Structure formats: C-alpha cells, structure tokens
Amino acid sequence: MGALESKKIVLGVTGGIAAYKAVEIASRLRKAGAEVHVIMTKEATQFVTELTFREITGQPVSVDMWGKVANFNVEHIALANLADLVLIAPATANIMAKIAAGIADDMLSTTVLATKAPVMLAPAMNTNMYENPITQRNMSELRQRGMQLIEPAAGHLACGIEGKGRLPEPVTIVQEVMDFMTGEQPLKSRKIIITAAGTIEPLDPVRFLGNHSTGKMGYAIAAEAARQGADVLLVSGPSALPNPAGVRMKRIQTAREMQAAVEAEYAQADAVIMSAAVADYRPKTVAAEKIKKSDDELVLHLERNPDILWGLGQQKQQQVLVGFAAETCNVEEYAKKKLTKKNLDFIVANDVSAKDAGFAVDNNRVQLYFRDGRTEKYPLMAKSELAKVILDKLAAILP
Ligand code: CTP
C-alpha cells in the first residue's frame, strides 16, 4: 500500500515555468496511492495542457469557474470539501498574494478559500520576486494562518540568474507531503498555554504604557503547536496578527488580565510557554479623564505587576514551563538567573539589541538554557523554524 493510499489531494498548478514539474508531482502522488484532482490556473495552461494532467491522474481537470466546467457552482465547493490536502506546486507570488488577501476569483483561489483541509504551497519564482518584502509578508501571513510552505531551492533559475526561488524536485515535494500527511503529531491532545505580544497598562482613557513586542514569536509557536495536534490556548496582548488556525484565542490587555486567563487553565495544562513581554509595572492610578498638560513636570507613580511566570513556577505540578528572556546585555547570566528564579524547565534567550533578530522581525537568534545545565545556541532562523525547535525540546521533556 502506498503511503498516501485513499488520500484525496487537490493539486493546484499555477503559471510558472516550473509548472511542467507538477506533472511528475501528480504522477508520484498517484503512485503513492493518492487520488489526485488537478486545478490549473489559466496561466498554467500556457505551460502545460489539461490533457496531460487528465491522463496522469485519471480525473477531470478544472481550470476556471465560468468556462469549461459544467457544474461550476458545486465544483469549487465539492473539491474544497473532498480534499484531505490542497497542494499548490508551483505556487506563484500571485497566488500567494491572492490567498493572503482572501481573493477568490478563479477555481483555485476559490477552492483554497472554501476548504477546511490543510494547505501546502511550494513557492517558485524569480529570486527578486521571492525576496520582495511584499512576497515575504504574504508568505508570513500564510504561515500564520497555519499553511505549510515548502522552501524553494537555490540555484540557476530560468530567468538566467542564480538565487533562491527554484521549485524543489518533485520527489522532495512528494516526500514533504507524505511526511505531513502521515506525520506523527508529537503534541497530540496536549494542553498548552502560550502567551504572546506585549501587555499594555492604561494611564488614562486614551494613553497606555506598552512595549515593542508584536507577538510574532508566540503566534508562530501557537500555529505550530496546533499543527502538531496540541490543544492550544493563545493568550495575547494587543497584536495586529491574525488568529492562528486551530488555536483558541483569548485577547487581553493588561498583565493582570493575562495572569487571570493563564491561571484559569493552568491546573489542567501540560505546558505553558510565556513568550509575552509582560509589563512589570502599571500606573498606580488610572485617571478617569484624559490627563491635561500643564507647565509642571508630570510624575507617574508605578506599582509592580505580578510576575506571572514566577507565580506559575511556585504552583508547578506536572506542567513544563518555558520562559523567554529578552536582554540587551549579559544574556547568559540574566537568562540563567530567570531560569532558576522562576522554576523553569528551559528558557529561550535572545539579545534584542541585534537589528536583524528579535522584536518585530521574522527572524530570531536564540540560546536555550535548560534546567539540567545544558546550553544550545542557534543561528539566525525564521521564527516559524524556531517554533519547531522550541516545541521539539518541549515534547522531549513532557512527562
Ligand atoms: N514574565 C512574566 N510576568 C512578568 C514579567 C515577565 O510572566 N511580570 C515572563 C515573561 O513572559 C518571560 C519571562 O518572564 O517569559 C522573563 O521576562 P523578562 O521581561 O525577560 O524578565 P523579567 O522577569 O521581567 O526581568 P527584568 O525585567 O528584570 O529583565
């Protein structure tokens, strides 16, 4: 029996020079036992014919909603419903932009919007298009939504330049599909509480004290934990990021609200990952009316907020506790102190003074310090990759 026996895969083919490789992808998926339904964009038909895919898959091929497909009004929903997986290979910058924006103007984009099945994309394009911050932003949005992106290969591109953007070999893509579809869910049914973004503390009805955290790291961990089967509660301070797929969301503002949300589910939790930047102080009094300016200096009196993680460490039973330490100097010393003081299993430390890592960017460079004294240093990597590393370490410790 093939690894994909009885799996129904919708293969989206978009208009890039690599579209011809999708023929081999379809063929390999079939050989692995999958039932393959191909949806081509109109542009893709410039590179490969529908007939080729029909022959290879033994199924009708859909192109656009209004043209050749007789029963279009049910078809896009039918394919969206029957899919166990939607794989788009190659995925152009254009289709990713459309999906990120929620546009449904052809059969493929409509199917993606209508499906509840997991979506994998294999981006392939010219290096400059790939590296363009707009494309990078769209890919980051898709990841946040729980979609799987297969890294393009580097090498000689059809446009004559060297760089990243080449569609990986069909055998590699099909292997990724098999790993994903048959992949174990190491965190299946584990209850994990994740905090993200910064808390804010009101000063008066229009002002607050806050910090630079955007939530990217915590949201990436939440999305990945859900993909690995965990029951995730994401407690988030204000953040512009969308709710990650498959995650229970609790949006809060202040440190005390975050504490209440975490503690409400702590007794049943298997793990807590505190990536939030919690405000250590709050204004002692919150003015009922907007504070008016005067010629005198304004003195704010601040009082301590609870240290949420320290409190969790005191009540710790079965829970694995993971903390973060954002430091601007003496990273190792400060991180290890927090590890001990807060009774953590491990702490993820980073130097937030680095420009290319940390706050508000998609990458991070961290060291992990473990309760048993182990230290692991990692190079600069995408927060989505780092999320996998952190959850791997967590899975290894979970009782
Ligand atoms: N944390 C918390 N509650 C707070 C402050 C921090 O739960 N009031 C958590 C953070 O989510 C993080 C860890 O504790 O996982 C370390 O946070 P950090 O701000 O680096 O350290 P602090 O303990 O606040 O120490 P300092 O501000 O002195 O560096």
Side-chain angles (χ1 to χ4, degrees), residues 44-222:
T45 61
Q46 302 289 320
F47 295 91
V48 204
T49 68
E50 288 171 63
L51 187 64
T52 313
F53 284 111
R54 202 166 71 209
E55 288 302 312
I56 296 262
T57 63
Q59 299 285 347
V61 172
S62 316
V63 180
D64 62 69
M65 289 194 292
W66 322 112
K68 295 175 188 127
V69 182
N71 53 342
F72 71 86
N73 55 341
V74 288
E75 184 134 349
H76 66 282
I77 300 300
L79 287 178
N81 283 344
L82 76 74
D84 293 310
L85 173 79
V86 176
L87 167 69
I88 306 183
T92 55
N94 192 50
I95 189 75
M96 293 196 291
K98 287 208 288 190
I99 297 171
I103 293 173
D105 64 351
D106 63 9
M107 186 60 124
L108 182 57
S109 51
T110 306
T111 302
V112 172
L113 199 61
T115 195
K116 285 204 149 57
V119 177
M120 284 181 102
L121 302 105
M125 69 202 71
N126 155 281
T127 303
N128 294 345
M129 288 172 85
Y130 180 75
E131 287 174 354
N132 190 306
I134 300 174
T135 305
Q136 291 293 321
R137 179 201 62 196
N138 290 336
M139 293 197 301
S140 161
E141 168 82 23
L142 301 185
R143 283 199 191 94
Q144 293 282 352
R145 296 279 175 192
M147 297 184 185
Q148 303 299 308
L149 271 73
I150 300 172
E151 281 281 296
H156 187 72
L157 302 179
C159 50
I161 61 170
E162 295 282 326
K164 207 166 173 183
R166 215 160 54 90
L167 190 73
E169 290 311 313
V171 63
T172 311
I173 291 177
V174 173
Q175 189 58 51
E176 292 237 7
V177 170
M178 293 199 282
D179 289 350
F180 179 74
M181 297 295 280
T182 57
E184 289 166 44
Q185 294 201 305
L187 297 175
K188 189 154 186 59
S189 307
R190 295 294 198 163
K191 292 192 186 318
I192 304 185
I193 304 173
I194 297 166
T195 66
T199 62
I200 61 170
E201 307 295 332
L203 206 53
D204 69 14
V206 297
R207 303 185 179 94
F208 59 83
L209 298 179
N211 62 65
H212 286 304
S213 175
T214 57
K216 284 186 172 177
M217 191 65 243
Y219 278 56
I221 300 172

Side-chain angles (χ1 to χ4, degrees), residues 195 255 273-280 304-310 322-327 334 338 341-342 344 347:
T195 66
I273 304 176
M274 283 285 304
S275 80
V278 185
D280 286 321
R304 275 292 305 270
N305 263 332
D307 185 327
I308 304 172
L309 192 50
W310 180 84
V322 181
F324 274 71
E327 308 292 351
Y334 289 142
K338 288 174 190 176
K341 187 163 163 231
K342 303 194 188 202
L344 308 180
I347 190 158

Side-chain angles (χ1 to χ4, degrees), residues 43 49 80 185-186 335 378 385:
E43 293 74 22
T49 68
Q185 294 201 305
Y378 291 88
E385 287 305 307

